């Protein structure tokens, strides 16, 4: 039985997991107040950057004694900055269960070449490692949400209040979209391009008093690139946490971040963002429960991401394909959807198992996801008919 081609399409078919959809109602004219063509060192430029820092901290509800900065290189620059400045005096534990976690592991081992590294590795995409085995007498590096696997940590209960090491968390696809206990994180990093749909190339870093103390006391025995340096002549560069960026930022992107933060405040602040994200996941969850041909990549329901929602297909024909042919199958599904203007950039990450990934962060409207999903059903059905070895294999979606 063929699935009927849908008639309705999402009003905003952008579902990429980065850069992510712009906020509802976004228009380029909203950036007319940007401090462009001027020095970001000017007091007015500094005021814009300080406003990004202050509004971010206030909306997220960060502890008042955390230091926050705008840094270069998006979230990657922020997490690298943290690792290069802070890791070394203690052993390091790295938790990895998807592409970015493995990237930070590689940098710790191959670039920083730290001698004492313990790896907590998931057995496969869709799973978490055993977090009960993490030793917090060491520094711990992990992602809060695995953007490429759709698997997030189930809260912060596994992190003790009293710990000797620092917790360094890549939170970029969780921030503004998931509940996070910031007191359990000594460093958290994110970018504007994820949950708030801002522009890329700029990152944010927030540091607890313990992390700031480490900065003041620890002198890495490795060269630090200029754009990573947070100390000078043995002293903390405090101006970095007051809008004095380490390189020239795009003031157009800064303005876009400010407008996004204002939208966040108007849409209910952090509670409003979390509610929008939960609604998006609820839409997908209902669809998965009613669909015999799709399932979450995350195996434990407690770990299903509400932002980077990763799914895989279930069907004998699909499962009997080799990995390269499964990837080609998914590409054809996504191409069908994109050619009809019904959904862009929903293919899984190249390192993840073949499937689809729908960004469900707060800038995405639940109604658009509701309109996308019938297109996935239709495109899967059509691609299945093409791939089925015999007519009997193409009966329905199950």
């Amino acid at each position: 039985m063929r699935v009927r081609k849908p008639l309705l399409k999402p009003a905003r078919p952008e579902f990429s997991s980065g850069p992510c959809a712009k906020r509802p109602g976004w228009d380029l004219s909203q950036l007319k107040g940007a401090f462009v063509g001027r020095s970001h060192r000017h007091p007015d430029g500094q005021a814009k950057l300080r406003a990004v820092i202050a509004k971010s901290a206030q909306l997220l509800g960060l502890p008042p004694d955390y230091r926050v900065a705008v840094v270069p290189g998006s979230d990657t620059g922020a997490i690298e900055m943290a690792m290069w400045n802070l890791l070394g005096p203690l052993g390091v534990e790295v938790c990895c269960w998807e592409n970015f976690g493995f990237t930070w592991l590689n940098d710790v081992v191959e670039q920083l070449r730290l001698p004492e590294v313990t790896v907590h590795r998931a057995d496969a995409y869709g799973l978490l490692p055993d977090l009960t085995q993490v030793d917090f007498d060491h520094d711990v590096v992990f992602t809060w949400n695995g953007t490429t696997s759709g698997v997030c940590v189930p809260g912060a209960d596994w992190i003790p209040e009293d710990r000797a090491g620092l917790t360094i968390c890549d939170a970029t696809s969780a921030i503004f979209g998931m509940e996070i206990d910031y007191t359990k994180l000594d460093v958290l990093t994110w970018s504007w391009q994820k949950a708030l749909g801002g522009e890329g190339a700029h990152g944010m870093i927030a540091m607890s008093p313990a992390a700031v103390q480490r900065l003041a006391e620890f002198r890495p025995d490795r060269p630090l690139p200029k754009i990573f340096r947070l100390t000078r002549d043995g002293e903390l560069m405090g101006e970095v946490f007051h809008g004095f960026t380490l390189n020239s930022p795009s003031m157009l992107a800064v303005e876009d971040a400010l407008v996004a933060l204002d939208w966040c405040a108007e849409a209910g602040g952090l509670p409003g963002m979390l509610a929008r994200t939960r609604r998006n996941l609820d839409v997908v969850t209902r669809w998965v429960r009613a669909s015999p041909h799709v399932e979450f990549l995350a195996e434990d329901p407690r770990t299903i991401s509400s932002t980077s929602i990763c799914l895989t297909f279930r069907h004998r024909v699909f499962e009997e394909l080799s990995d390269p042919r499964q990837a080609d199958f998914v590409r054809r599904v996504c191409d069908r959807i994109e050619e009809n203007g019904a959904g862009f950039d929903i293919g899984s990450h190249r390192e993840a198992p073949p499937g689809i990934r729908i960004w469900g962060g707060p800038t995405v409207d639940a109604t658009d996801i509701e309109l996308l999903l019938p297109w996935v059903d239709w495109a899967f059905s059509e691609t299945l008919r093409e791939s089925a070895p015999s007519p009997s294999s193409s009966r329905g979606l199950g």
Side-chain angles (χ1 to χ4, degrees), residues 161-225:
E161 296 278 359
D162 184 18
R163 53 189 181 271
L166 300 177
T167 50
I168 299 175
C169 177
D170 169 3
T172 194
S173 60
I175 209 86
F176 285 105
M178 299 180 181
E179 293 186 18
I180 300 174
D181 183 352
Y182 305 115
T183 66
K184 298 291 187 74
L185 306 179
D186 293 299
V187 180
L188 63 149
T189 65
W190 68 96
S191 70
W192 301 339
Q193 65 167 319
K194 287 289 186 180
L196 291 184
E199 293 304 298
H202 301 78
M204 301 288 291
I205 189 167
M207 309 182 84
S208 73
V212 172
Q213 183 178 356
R214 172 78 65 83
L215 270 180
E217 296 175 352
F218 175 55
R219 298 290 174 267
D221 60 1
R222 52 187 169 262
L224 285 178

Side-chain angles (χ1 to χ4, degrees), residues 57-285:
Q58 187 270 325
L59 285 167
L60 289 171
L62 294 177
D65 54 358
Y66 277 42
R67 308 290 291 273
V68 184
V70 176
V71 299
S74 196
D75 175 66
T76 297
I79 193 76
E80 295 282 7
M81 173 184 285
M83 294 193 297
W84 282 71
N85 276 279
L86 299 171
L87 295 182
L90 301 178
V92 181
E93 313 253 330
V94 184
C95 305
C96 42
W97 58 92
E98 52 90 48
N99 179 69
F100 291 104
F102 288 117
T103 298
W104 311 145
L105 171 64
N106 181 74
D107 290 346
V108 168
V109 174
E110 299 296 334
Q111 303 300 321
L112 297 178
R113 298 183 180 179
L114 297 175
E116 188 181 349
V117 180
T118 301
V119 183
H120 302 275
R121 187 191 309 262
D123 292 335
Y125 269 70
L127 300 173
L128 282 177
D130 185 355
L131 300 177
T132 65
Q133 299 302 307
V134 177
D135 183 356
F136 289 92
D137 285 339
H138 297 159
D139 295 329
V140 180
V141 179
F142 72 101
T143 57
W144 190 277
N145 177 71
T147 312
T148 66
S149 69
V151 175
C152 61
V153 294
D157 289 346
W158 59 286
I159 304 173
E161 296 278 359
D162 184 18
R163 53 189 181 271
L166 300 177
T167 50
I168 299 175
C169 177
D170 169 3
T172 194
S173 60
I175 209 86
F176 285 105
M178 299 180 181
E179 293 186 18
I180 300 174
D181 183 352
Y182 305 115
T183 66
K184 298 291 187 74
L185 306 179
D186 293 299
V187 180
L188 63 149
T189 65
W190 68 96
S191 70
W192 301 339
Q193 65 167 319
K194 287 289 186 180
L196 291 184
E199 293 304 298
H202 301 78
M204 301 288 291
I205 189 167
M207 309 182 84
S208 73
V212 172
Q213 183 178 356
R214 172 78 65 83
L215 270 180
E217 296 175 352
F218 175 55
R219 298 290 174 267
D221 60 1
R222 52 187 169 262
L224 285 178
K226 179 180 178 181
I227 59 172
F228 284 178
R229 295 175 199 160
L230 291 173
T231 59
R232 182 191 300 115
D233 299 326
E235 298 292 333
L236 180 70
M237 293 168 59
E239 66 269 25
V240 174
F241 301 97
H242 294 280
F244 191 92
T245 53
L246 297 170
N247 72 335
S248 300
S250 163
M251 297 307 292
L252 195 64
V254 168
E255 191 68 23
D256 192 55
L258 286 170
V259 175
L261 290 165
D262 288 341
W263 167 78
C264 173
E266 293 164 2
L270 184 60
M273 298 298 98
L274 299 181
R276 288 178 62 88
T277 304
R278 283 194 294 267
R279 282 197 295 272
N280 291 338
L281 178 60
D282 287 345
V283 168
V284 178
T285 300

Side-chain angles (χ1 to χ4, degrees), residues 284 287-288 294-297 309-313 348 353-358 373:
V284 178
W287 175 66
V288 169
V294 69
E295 63 185 356
F296 289 108
L297 189 57
I309 306 171
C310 296
L311 305 130
T312 186
F313 291 122
S348 59
I356 62 172
R357 179 173 59 162
I358 302 168
L373 299 179

